[in-house]
Amino acid sequence: MLLTGDHILPRITPNISPAPGQHDDLLGMYISSLRALAGIPAEEVLLAHEYRFAGLTERVNGLLRHHEERLGMVMTAVHATPGCTSVAVAEALTWSRPWDQMVGPHRRFAIGETFSHLVHLERTGYLVNKGLDSNGGGVDSWFPLHDTGPKLV
């Protein structure tokens, strides 16, 4: 058995969002932690929310595929509008509900999740943010450096 908390959930992905002012590659850390769990021979996964499940490696690969697809969507959005903000990228992505129906914390979670993907793409050399200064101040302005995003699986 493997206890995962909310690290690995059976049908949704945990929200990977930074705290205000944080610019660490949280998504990169999450991806690394998923890869570290992939080879554990757990017959059953016990978590903090939802239901227990079997098939840890399959679920880890599913989460990696999800983030690979999301990174590709982010790259597409930045290519469509070079110089766009994180909020503009979040608006361009597909979510579980339409953007105009997302209010309050749901919209903040979506923007935070998008920012984590943008930062990961920046740290891995796929995007550059020309708007933020070295202290993280200013208005973000994202530009592509490659045509596509990274392959995770």
Side-chain angles (χ1 to χ4, degrees), residues 71-89:
L71 289 165
M73 290 179 204
V74 168
M75 288 294 294
T76 298
V78 173
H79 271 282
T81 312
C84 56
T85 65
S86 299
V87 173
V89 175

Side-chain angles (χ1 to χ4, degrees), residues 4 8 21 37 39 41 48-49 51 63 69 72 74 77 87 95 97 105 114-115 129 136 139 142 146:
T4 66
I8 298 177
L37 289 175
H49 293 95
Y51 50 88
L63 289 167
E69 291 168 6
V74 168
V87 173
W95 300 97
R97 62 184 61 135
T114 300
F115 186 72
N129 187 349
V139 176
W142 296 98
H146 293 278

Side-chain angles (χ1 to χ4, degrees), residues 2-97:
L2 178 67
L3 301 173
T4 66
D6 282 347
H7 186 82
I8 298 177
L9 299 169
R11 62 175 190 86
I12 61 173
T13 62
N15 185 275
I16 310 298
S17 293
Q22 185 178 24
H23 296 274
D24 295 328
D25 183 6
L26 300 179
L27 182 61
M29 291 181 228
Y30 181 68
I31 289 168
S32 294
S33 68
L34 286 175
R35 288 185 172 138
L37 289 175
I40 294 177
E43 293 180 24
E44 189 171 19
V45 180
L46 306 175
L47 40 139
H49 293 95
E50 298 199 343
Y51 50 88
R52 59 180 38 165
F53 67 94
L56 175 64
T57 299
E58 294 82 8
R59 183 61 184 140
V60 165
N61 288 334
L63 289 167
L64 290 171
R65 274 191 303 278
H66 164 78
H67 286 291
E68 182 178 302
E69 291 168 6
R70 182 62 79 180
L71 289 165
M73 290 179 204
V74 168
M75 288 294 294
T76 298
V78 173
H79 271 282
T81 312
C84 56
T85 65
S86 299
V87 173
V89 175
E91 288 179 70
L93 300 179
T94 302
W95 300 97
S96 59
R97 62 184 61 135

Side-chain angles (χ1 to χ4, degrees), residues 74-145:
V74 168
M75 288 294 294
T76 298
V78 173
H79 271 282
T81 312
C84 56
T85 65
S86 299
V87 173
V89 175
E91 288 179 70
L93 300 179
T94 302
W95 300 97
S96 59
R97 62 184 61 135
W99 183 256
D100 60 352
Q101 293 179 15
M102 293 173 61
V103 295
H106 297 290
R107 190 169 278 193
R108 284 193 303 275
F109 291 150
I111 294 167
E113 184 87 12
T114 300
F115 186 72
S116 289
H117 283 74
L118 288 161
V119 167
H120 180 68
L121 287 166
E122 180 183 40
R123 296 294 167 82
T124 54
Y126 289 86
L127 296 177
V128 62
N129 187 349
K130 294 184 179 180
L132 295 181
D133 61 31
S134 61
N135 296 320
V139 176
D140 54 353
S141 182
W142 296 98
F143 292 87
L145 297 175

